[in-house]
Amino acid sequence: PRPTPPHRRGRILSHMVSRLPEEERGPTAEALGAVAAADPADRAPLRTRMLAQLANTLPDGSAKLSALVGALRFAEAAGTTELLRPAWEGRAQEFVEGLGGTPQEQRELFVALSGQFARPCRGSYECLLLALRAGGEGARGSEELTARAVVEFLKADGLYSCDLGHGGALDGLRAAGAKHADLLALLEIFTAGSFADFTAFRAAKKGRLEALGLQADAAEDKMRVMALAGLAAGSEGARLAYSQVEAALQVGEAEVEGWIVKAIGEGVLEGRMDQMQQVLHVQRATKRAFGAQDWEEVSARLEGFRKNLASISTQMAHA
């Protein structure tokens, strides 16, 4: 007999699972997922689509979440994440919460989603934050998940503001004592310290950045941008001398404008450079750490906007 074409095999597997009694679908989906993920290098795109199609045949709930986690983990191992990411990117919370399941199952799915990006970035970091919130900060595994989120923040491209300090997410790391002490110290340096603090850490803890999974050069560049953000935040509405930037970032005079341009390009600060006066007129700077007070300020502003819109709507209705 002629072999079944690949695209039909995917439909046949999905149909088989959908015809099973509901109590058998979960175990069957897990078994098929394990088989499909046995060798990521073998026909990876086809098998990725098959696993996704299989998951979509299952009803919302535990079985579907389990099948999706299997599909996502296979895609991460096989390098085919671009095939699945468009289905949920930009709406991860809505996507996961719409599938039902327990908080722990949703947490596992958020973690799997975080691995669907080519490199650490805002998207992968936000998925880990959603995972922490889904299971609760005190849930089983929260300590290691928080540590992973901290590392993801430190590694993430284009991410210069951290809100892990809000709530009790870091309490588990602090309670662990020496186990996570270096990681917490490094996070404190990035969010509140100076570039000099960073270089002192590297000198005292040789090889520690690499042990935590960071690339030293990339971490150094990120720290310079964040140090510049901290410096500019204290000078909003005022002038920041190039000499201050030179000293704070420990760079040569000729490099100062390059770092300012980089920070502006990354959206970390807004300002106007005056080459004649050798100053930066700072208009706005990103806060490196976003805490409870900052969220309260945002909430108050949003409430003000809501009231203004309601007032405008009422006036228009009576016009």
Side-chain angles (χ1 to χ4, degrees):
R2 296 175 60 187
T4 305
H7 67 280
R8 288 198 61 208
R9 286 202 294 270
R11 288 202 294 268
I12 289 171
L13 285 173
S14 298
H15 181 68
M16 289 171 60
V17 174
S18 67
R19 295 294 298 273
L20 291 171
E22 186 170 347
E23 63 271 17
E24 297 180 16
R25 291 179 183 177
T28 302
E30 291 177 3
L32 289 174
V35 172
D39 181 7
D42 183 17
R43 292 171 293 178
L46 167 65
R47 293 166 73 188
T48 299
R49 293 188 182 96
M50 288 171 60
L51 284 170
Q53 190 173 23
L54 172 65
N56 286 333
T57 66
L58 300 172
D60 291 346
S62 299
K64 188 163 192 167
L65 266 68
S66 177
L68 281 171
V69 168
L72 292 165
R73 286 177 176 167
F74 175 82
E76 182 179 359
T80 55
T81 57
E82 74 282 353
L83 298 177
L84 304 184
R85 202 167 56 244
W88 56 267
E89 190 172 11
R91 58 183 194 92
Q93 183 170 8
E94 176 188 352
F95 173 74
V96 173
E97 292 179 351
L99 297 174
T102 67
Q104 190 61 36
E105 289 167 342
Q106 290 187 354
R107 165 176 279 196
E108 188 176 7
L109 182 52
F110 279 126
V111 172
L113 292 179
S114 74
Q116 301 301 293
F117 297 86
R119 63 182 63 188
C121 60
R122 184 181 300 275
S124 60
Y125 170 71
E126 288 178 349
C127 284
L128 291 177
L129 291 187
L130 289 170
L132 279 169
R133 293 164 187 160
E137 293 171 348
R140 177 173 52 85
S142 293
E143 177 190 323
E144 293 307 318
L145 183 55
T146 302
R148 179 173 171 178
V150 172
V151 172
E152 196 77 359
F153 168 75
L154 295 175
K155 294 167 66 175
D157 294 335
L159 188 59
Y160 300 100
S161 181
C162 180
D163 60 354
L164 274 169
H166 176 57
L170 298 177
D171 290 347
L173 301 191
R174 297 188 182 102
K179 182 179 179 181
H180 297 295
D182 287 345
L183 185 59
L184 285 168
L186 198 55
L187 180 64
E188 178 68 17
I189 290 170
F190 270 77
T191 56
S194 66
F195 189 77
D197 295 329
F198 176 76
T199 57
F201 179 92
R202 286 187 66 184
K205 304 281 186 177
K206 293 187 183 299
R208 193 66 182 119
L209 291 180
E210 292 78 5
L212 291 170
L214 304 177
Q215 294 182 350
D217 290 345
E220 185 175 286
D221 286 352
K222 180 165 183 167
M223 183 63 215
R224 278 199 169 100
V225 173
M226 294 190 72
L228 179 53
L231 191 63
S235 304
E236 285 191 4
R239 303 192 309 172
L240 181 62
Y242 281 14
S243 59
Q244 292 176 268
V245 177
E246 180 183 347
L249 273 57
Q250 299 182 6
V251 296
E253 182 181 352
E255 300 175 78
V256 169
E257 288 192 350
W259 283 104
I260 292 174
V261 169
K262 180 175 176 62
I264 292 174
E266 294 283 358
V268 169
L269 63 84
E270 294 176 4
R272 179 176 58 83
M273 291 186 291
D274 185 335
Q275 295 176 319
M276 294 294 293
Q277 298 293 323
Q278 293 284 285
V279 297
L280 170 68
H281 296 274
V282 181
Q283 298 169 352
R284 181 198 63 82
T286 296
K287 288 188 175 183
R288 292 191 283 172
F290 212 75
Q293 183 177 350
D294 299 299
W295 281 115
E296 289 173 3
E297 289 177 4
V298 170
S299 178
R301 289 180 183 179
L302 289 175
E303 179 62 18
F305 291 149
R306 187 191 67 78
K307 290 180 178 179
N308 288 338
L309 288 173
S311 176
I312 293 171
S313 178
T314 301
Q315 292 174 17
M316 291 179 67
H318 293 87

Short mmCIF file of all heavy atoms in Angstrom, two decimals, residues 217-258:
data_model
loop_
_atom_site.label_atom_id
_atom_site.label_comp_id
_atom_site.label_asym_id
_atom_site.label_seq_id
_atom_site.Cartn_x
_atom_site.Cartn_y
_atom_site.Cartn_z
N ASP A 217 30.19 40.65 28.07
CA ASP A 217 30.15 41.85 27.23
C ASP A 217 28.74 42.42 27.12
O ASP A 217 28.54 43.63 27.21
CB ASP A 217 30.70 41.55 25.83
CG ASP A 217 32.20 41.30 25.84
OD1 ASP A 217 32.85 41.63 26.85
OD2 ASP A 217 32.72 40.76 24.85
N ALA A 218 27.76 41.53 26.91
CA ALA A 218 26.37 41.97 26.79
C ALA A 218 25.88 42.56 28.10
O ALA A 218 25.16 43.57 28.13
CB ALA A 218 25.47 40.81 26.36
N ALA A 219 26.26 41.94 29.22
CA ALA A 219 25.86 42.44 30.54
C ALA A 219 26.48 43.81 30.80
O ALA A 219 25.84 44.71 31.36
CB ALA A 219 26.28 41.45 31.63
N GLU A 220 27.71 43.99 30.37
CA GLU A 220 28.40 45.27 30.56
C GLU A 220 27.70 46.38 29.77
O GLU A 220 27.49 47.48 30.28
CB GLU A 220 29.85 45.12 30.11
CG GLU A 220 30.70 46.34 30.37
CD GLU A 220 32.15 46.10 30.02
OE1 GLU A 220 32.82 45.38 30.79
OE2 GLU A 220 32.61 46.62 28.98
N ASP A 221 27.33 46.08 28.53
CA ASP A 221 26.63 47.07 27.70
C ASP A 221 25.28 47.44 28.33
O ASP A 221 24.91 48.62 28.38
CB ASP A 221 26.41 46.53 26.29
CG ASP A 221 27.69 46.51 25.47
OD1 ASP A 221 28.70 47.05 25.94
OD2 ASP A 221 27.67 45.94 24.36
N LYS A 222 24.56 46.42 28.78
CA LYS A 222 23.25 46.68 29.38
C LYS A 222 23.39 47.51 30.65
O LYS A 222 22.60 48.43 30.89
CB LYS A 222 22.53 45.36 29.68
CG LYS A 222 21.15 45.54 30.30
CD LYS A 222 20.34 44.26 30.24
CE LYS A 222 18.94 44.48 30.79
NZ LYS A 222 18.03 43.36 30.47
N MET A 223 24.39 47.20 31.44
CA MET A 223 24.61 47.94 32.68
C MET A 223 24.92 49.39 32.39
O MET A 223 24.46 50.30 33.10
CB MET A 223 25.73 47.29 33.49
CG MET A 223 25.97 47.97 34.84
SD MET A 223 24.53 47.85 35.95
CE MET A 223 24.62 49.43 36.79
N ARG A 224 25.69 49.67 31.35
CA ARG A 224 26.00 51.06 31.01
C ARG A 224 24.73 51.83 30.63
O ARG A 224 24.55 52.98 31.04
CB ARG A 224 27.01 51.11 29.86
CG ARG A 224 28.45 50.92 30.30
CD ARG A 224 29.43 51.42 29.27
NE ARG A 224 30.78 51.48 29.80
CZ ARG A 224 31.73 50.56 29.60
NH1 ARG A 224 31.45 49.50 28.86
NH2 ARG A 224 32.93 50.70 30.15
N VAL A 225 23.85 51.18 29.85
CA VAL A 225 22.61 51.86 29.48
C VAL A 225 21.75 52.11 30.71
O VAL A 225 21.17 53.20 30.88
CB VAL A 225 21.83 51.02 28.44
CG1 VAL A 225 20.45 51.63 28.18
CG2 VAL A 225 22.61 50.92 27.13
N MET A 226 21.67 51.13 31.61
CA MET A 226 20.85 51.29 32.81
C MET A 226 21.47 52.31 33.76
O MET A 226 20.75 53.06 34.42
CB MET A 226 20.64 49.94 33.49
CG MET A 226 19.82 48.98 32.64
SD MET A 226 19.28 47.48 33.51
CE MET A 226 18.03 48.15 34.61
N ALA A 227 22.79 52.34 33.84
CA ALA A 227 23.45 53.34 34.68
C ALA A 227 23.18 54.75 34.14
O ALA A 227 22.96 55.69 34.91
CB ALA A 227 24.95 53.07 34.74
N LEU A 228 23.19 54.88 32.81
CA LEU A 228 22.88 56.17 32.20
C LEU A 228 21.43 56.56 32.47
O LEU A 228 21.13 57.73 32.75
CB LEU A 228 23.14 56.11 30.70
CG LEU A 228 22.85 57.39 29.89
CD1 LEU A 228 23.56 58.59 30.49
CD2 LEU A 228 23.27 57.18 28.44
N ALA A 229 20.53 55.57 32.45
CA ALA A 229 19.12 55.85 32.77
C ALA A 229 18.99 56.36 34.19
O ALA A 229 18.25 57.31 34.47
CB ALA A 229 18.28 54.59 32.57
N GLY A 230 19.70 55.72 35.11
CA GLY A 230 19.65 56.16 36.50
C GLY A 230 20.20 57.57 36.68
O GLY A 230 19.66 58.38 37.44
N LEU A 231 21.28 57.85 35.97
CA LEU A 231 21.89 59.18 36.04
C LEU A 231 20.95 60.24 35.48
O LEU A 231 20.76 61.31 36.06
CB LEU A 231 23.20 59.17 35.26
CG LEU A 231 24.14 60.37 35.40
CD1 LEU A 231 24.63 60.50 36.85
CD2 LEU A 231 25.32 60.24 34.45
N ALA A 232 20.31 59.91 34.33
CA ALA A 232 19.40 60.86 33.68
C ALA A 232 18.12 61.05 34.50
O ALA A 232 17.55 62.15 34.52
CB ALA A 232 19.06 60.38 32.28
N ALA A 233 17.67 60.00 35.18
CA ALA A 233 16.44 60.11 35.97
C ALA A 233 16.58 61.15 37.07
O ALA A 233 15.61 61.80 37.46
CB ALA A 233 16.08 58.75 36.57
N GLY A 234 17.78 61.32 37.57
CA GLY A 234 18.02 62.32 38.60
C GLY A 234 18.25 63.71 38.03
O GLY A 234 18.48 64.65 38.79
N SER A 235 18.18 63.82 36.70
CA SER A 235 18.42 65.11 36.06
C SER A 235 17.28 65.52 35.13
O SER A 235 17.48 66.34 34.24
CB SER A 235 19.73 65.06 35.25
OG SER A 235 20.81 64.67 36.05
N GLU A 236 16.11 64.91 35.30
CA GLU A 236 14.97 65.23 34.43
C GLU A 236 14.66 66.72 34.50
O GLU A 236 14.58 67.30 35.58
CB GLU A 236 13.74 64.40 34.81
CG GLU A 236 13.81 62.97 34.36
CD GLU A 236 12.49 62.24 34.51
OE1 GLU A 236 11.50 62.88 34.91
OE2 GLU A 236 12.44 61.03 34.23
N GLY A 237 14.49 67.32 33.33
CA GLY A 237 14.21 68.75 33.26
C GLY A 237 15.43 69.61 33.45
O GLY A 237 15.32 70.83 33.57
N ALA A 238 16.59 68.98 33.50
CA ALA A 238 17.83 69.74 33.73
C ALA A 238 18.91 69.29 32.74
O ALA A 238 18.65 68.52 31.83
CB ALA A 238 18.30 69.54 35.17
N ARG A 239 20.11 69.78 32.95
CA ARG A 239 21.21 69.47 32.05
C ARG A 239 22.14 68.44 32.70
O ARG A 239 22.44 68.52 33.89
CB ARG A 239 22.00 70.73 31.71
CG ARG A 239 21.14 71.83 31.09
CD ARG A 239 21.99 72.95 30.49
NE ARG A 239 23.01 73.46 31.41
CZ ARG A 239 23.95 74.33 31.05
NH1 ARG A 239 24.02 74.76 29.81
NH2 ARG A 239 24.82 74.77 31.94
N LEU A 240 22.57 67.50 31.88
CA LEU A 240 23.50 66.48 32.34
C LEU A 240 24.79 66.65 31.54
O LEU A 240 24.80 66.51 30.32
CB LEU A 240 22.90 65.09 32.10
CG LEU A 240 23.72 63.88 32.55
CD1 LEU A 240 23.95 63.92 34.06
CD2 LEU A 240 23.01 62.59 32.16
N ALA A 241 25.87 66.97 32.23
CA ALA A 241 27.14 67.22 31.55
C ALA A 241 27.74 65.94 30.99
O ALA A 241 27.64 64.87 31.61
CB ALA A 241 28.12 67.87 32.53
N TYR A 242 28.32 66.05 29.82
CA TYR A 242 28.98 64.90 29.21
C TYR A 242 30.04 64.33 30.15
O TYR A 242 30.27 63.11 30.19
CB TYR A 242 29.65 65.31 27.90
CG TYR A 242 28.72 65.44 26.70
CD1 TYR A 242 27.34 65.48 26.86
CD2 TYR A 242 29.24 65.52 25.42
CE1 TYR A 242 26.50 65.62 25.77
CE2 TYR A 242 28.41 65.65 24.31
CZ TYR A 242 27.04 65.70 24.48
OH TYR A 242 26.22 65.82 23.40
N SER A 243 30.70 65.20 30.89
CA SER A 243 31.75 64.74 31.81
C SER A 243 31.18 63.82 32.89
O SER A 243 31.84 62.87 33.33
CB SER A 243 32.45 65.93 32.46
OG SER A 243 31.52 66.74 33.16
N GLN A 244 29.93 64.08 33.30
CA GLN A 244 29.28 63.20 34.28
C GLN A 244 29.02 61.83 33.69
O GLN A 244 29.20 60.81 34.35
CB GLN A 244 27.95 63.83 34.74
CG GLN A 244 28.10 65.09 35.56
CD GLN A 244 26.73 65.69 35.89
OE1 GLN A 244 26.22 66.53 35.16
NE2 GLN A 244 26.14 65.21 36.98
N VAL A 245 28.56 61.82 32.43
CA VAL A 245 28.31 60.55 31.75
C VAL A 245 29.62 59.77 31.58
O VAL A 245 29.67 58.56 31.82
CB VAL A 245 27.65 60.79 30.38
CG1 VAL A 245 27.45 59.47 29.64
CG2 VAL A 245 26.32 61.53 30.54
N GLU A 246 30.66 60.48 31.18
CA GLU A 246 31.98 59.86 30.98
C GLU A 246 32.46 59.18 32.25
O GLU A 246 32.92 58.03 32.23
CB GLU A 246 32.97 60.93 30.53
CG GLU A 246 34.37 60.40 30.28
CD GLU A 246 35.34 61.52 29.90
OE1 GLU A 246 34.88 62.65 29.59
OE2 GLU A 246 36.57 61.26 29.92
N ALA A 247 32.31 59.87 33.36
CA ALA A 247 32.77 59.31 34.63
C ALA A 247 31.89 58.16 35.10
O ALA A 247 32.39 57.14 35.58
CB ALA A 247 32.81 60.41 35.70
N ALA A 248 30.58 58.34 34.97
CA ALA A 248 29.64 57.32 35.46
C ALA A 248 29.73 56.02 34.67
O ALA A 248 29.62 54.93 35.24
CB ALA A 248 28.23 57.86 35.44
N LEU A 249 29.91 56.12 33.37
CA LEU A 249 29.95 54.93 32.51
C LEU A 249 31.36 54.39 32.30
O LEU A 249 31.54 53.35 31.68
CB LEU A 249 29.30 55.23 31.15
CG LEU A 249 27.79 55.04 31.05
CD1 LEU A 249 27.04 55.89 32.07
CD2 LEU A 249 27.30 55.36 29.65
N GLN A 250 32.34 55.12 32.79
CA GLN A 250 33.75 54.72 32.66
C GLN A 250 34.11 54.49 31.19
O GLN A 250 34.62 53.43 30.80
CB GLN A 250 34.04 53.48 33.51
CG GLN A 250 33.82 53.69 34.99
CD GLN A 250 34.15 52.47 35.84
OE1 GLN A 250 34.65 51.48 35.34
NE2 GLN A 250 33.83 52.55 37.11
N VAL A 251 33.83 55.50 30.37
CA VAL A 251 34.14 55.45 28.95
C VAL A 251 34.98 56.66 28.58
O VAL A 251 35.11 57.62 29.36
CB VAL A 251 32.85 55.42 28.09
CG1 VAL A 251 32.06 54.16 28.36
CG2 VAL A 251 32.00 56.67 28.34
N GLY A 252 35.52 56.64 27.36
CA GLY A 252 36.30 57.77 26.89
C GLY A 252 35.40 58.92 26.46
O GLY A 252 34.21 58.73 26.17
N GLU A 253 35.97 60.10 26.40
CA GLU A 253 35.20 61.29 26.02
C GLU A 253 34.53 61.12 24.67
O GLU A 253 33.39 61.55 24.48
CB GLU A 253 36.15 62.50 26.00
CG GLU A 253 35.47 63.81 25.66
CD GLU A 253 36.45 64.97 25.63
OE1 GLU A 253 37.62 64.77 26.03
OE2 GLU A 253 36.06 66.08 25.20
N ALA A 254 35.21 60.47 23.74
CA ALA A 254 34.67 60.30 22.38
C ALA A 254 33.50 59.31 22.34
O ALA A 254 32.77 59.26 21.35
CB ALA A 254 35.78 59.83 21.44
N GLU A 255 33.31 58.53 23.39
CA GLU A 255 32.26 57.51 23.41
C GLU A 255 30.95 58.01 24.02
O GLU A 255 29.92 57.33 23.93
CB GLU A 255 32.74 56.28 24.17
CG GLU A 255 33.97 55.60 23.61
CD GLU A 255 34.43 54.46 24.50
OE1 GLU A 255 33.81 53.39 24.43
OE2 GLU A 255 35.39 54.67 25.27
N VAL A 256 31.00 59.13 24.67
CA VAL A 256 29.84 59.60 25.44
C VAL A 256 28.61 59.74 24.56
O VAL A 256 27.52 59.22 24.89
CB VAL A 256 30.15 60.94 26.14
CG1 VAL A 256 28.88 61.56 26.71
CG2 VAL A 256 31.17 60.73 27.25
N GLU A 257 28.71 60.45 23.45
CA GLU A 257 27.54 60.67 22.61
C GLU A 257 27.00 59.36 22.05
O GLU A 257 25.78 59.22 21.87
CB GLU A 257 27.86 61.66 21.50
CG GLU A 257 28.00 63.09 21.98
CD GLU A 257 28.03 64.09 20.84
OE1 GLU A 257 28.13 63.67 19.67
OE2 GLU A 257 27.94 65.31 21.13
N GLY A 258 27.87 58.41 21.76
CA GLY A 258 27.42 57.12 21.27
C GLY A 258 26.52 56.41 22.26
O GLY A 258 25.49 55.82 21.89
#
